[in-house]
Amino acid sequence: FYDLSVNGKNIVGKRVQQARKAATPPITQTDLIARLQLLGMMMDQSSLSKIENNQRPVNDVEVIALAEGLQVSSAWIVGEKS
């Protein structure tokens, strides 16, 4: 697992939550889980919630799937500005 964090704070979780809420219409956790399943990534609501709440690390494959599911770049998910 890669712990994509700065000063103990999970960048990925914050970005996932931001992208979900900024989408039009907003993407629920349930919707994102369904999108991830279509991409072949099995994740349950508890795991997604833990990611968003900085209680679980995120591995590289999950970063890519989350970015695809949210239609944002992997670079943005890990905290880059673009």
Side-chain angles (χ1 to χ4, degrees), residues 13-45:
K14 180 179 178 183
R15 289 290 178 108
V16 167
Q17 193 172 59
Q18 285 175 344
R20 281 193 318 99
K21 292 180 179 184
T24 306
I27 300 167
T28 66
Q29 286 186 339
T30 302
D31 291 338
L32 180 53
I33 290 164
R35 291 178 183 197
L36 294 174
Q37 289 174 348
L38 290 173
L39 294 169
M41 173 65 58
M42 296 299 122
M43 182 178 293
D44 60 22
Q45 191 275 332

Side-chain angles (χ1 to χ4, degrees), residues 38-77:
L38 290 173
L39 294 169
M41 173 65 58
M42 296 299 122
M43 182 178 293
D44 60 22
Q45 191 275 332
S46 176
S47 293
L48 181 56
S49 181
K50 286 177 182 177
I51 289 169
E52 289 187 358
N53 290 305
N54 193 27
Q55 297 172 334
R56 177 189 178 285
V58 183
N59 70 39
D60 55 348
V61 175
E62 291 171 330
V63 168
I64 293 167
L66 287 163
E68 285 186 40
L70 292 165
Q71 298 180 333
V72 297
S73 72
S74 296
W76 184 84
I77 284 281

